[in-house]
Amino acid sequence: MRYYGRIGYDREYGGVALANEEGDRISSALGANSVVFMQHHGVIVCGDNMPYTFDDLYYLERCCMVQVLAQSTGGKLKRVPEKMVAEVARQIESERQQSVLHFEALKRLLDRNEPGWSRLT
């Protein structure tokens, strides 16, 4: 629900992105969205700042994992009504403090477990 209306799809693959045309096509597939799934290549997540973008990438990976697990059961999945999906997406997007807190907590873990990591960035 978090990503409702925020995902674009690139259904082509032109090899390693060495030509402007490849970047233009991916950018076009992204459009006004913040996530683009590239059919033969992976995912790109964009955002207003690093905490938001990292948080979106982190939870996108978790969402994909849960979806694969749910579909692997072979059972019929119950769909949430679109109106509710849109409302939940709006609620999440309007309150991003948890994204900042998540990112800050991860940096504290790095400070504790990998002193000096910030000199590498």
Side-chain angles (χ1 to χ4, degrees):
M1 291 181 221
R2 179 183 187 126
Y3 304 97
Y4 178 77
R6 296 177 53 201
I7 298 176
Y9 298 93
D10 179 12
R11 301 186 194 292
E12 304 294 324
Y13 180 63
V16 178
L18 299 176
N20 288 342
E21 294 78 20
E22 185 74 359
D24 291 343
R25 192 196 71 253
I26 295 168
S27 177
S28 178
L30 177 65
N33 298 304
S34 58
V35 176
V36 63
F37 280 96
M38 298 177 291
Q39 183 168 318
H40 300 288
H41 199 67
V43 64
I44 294 175
V45 178
C46 303
D48 293 337
N49 57 53
M50 187 60 72
Y52 290 11
T53 306
F54 177 84
D55 201 56
D56 281 347
L57 178 60
Y58 175 85
Y59 283 106
L60 180 64
E61 190 273 336
R62 303 287 298 175
C63 289
C64 292
M65 182 186 71
V66 169
Q67 182 173 348
V68 167
L69 288 171
Q71 289 177 316
S72 72
T73 68
K76 183 168 173 54
L77 303 180
K78 183 175 180 182
R79 294 181 75 76
V80 176
E82 188 170 355
K83 184 176 179 181
M84 179 55 65
V85 172
E87 176 63 14
V88 170
R90 186 197 62 73
Q91 290 171 333
I92 291 170
E93 192 59 30
S94 70
E95 177 46 62
R96 294 302 301 253
Q97 182 181 12
Q98 67 84 25
S99 298
V100 174
L101 295 173
H102 181 203
F103 195 69
E104 292 302 317
L106 291 172
K107 290 194 311 186
R108 285 192 302 275
L109 284 172
L110 281 170
D111 287 339
R112 185 180 72 212
N113 298 329
E114 298 290 335
W117 69 270
S118 63
R119 290 190 306 264
L120 303 174
T121 58

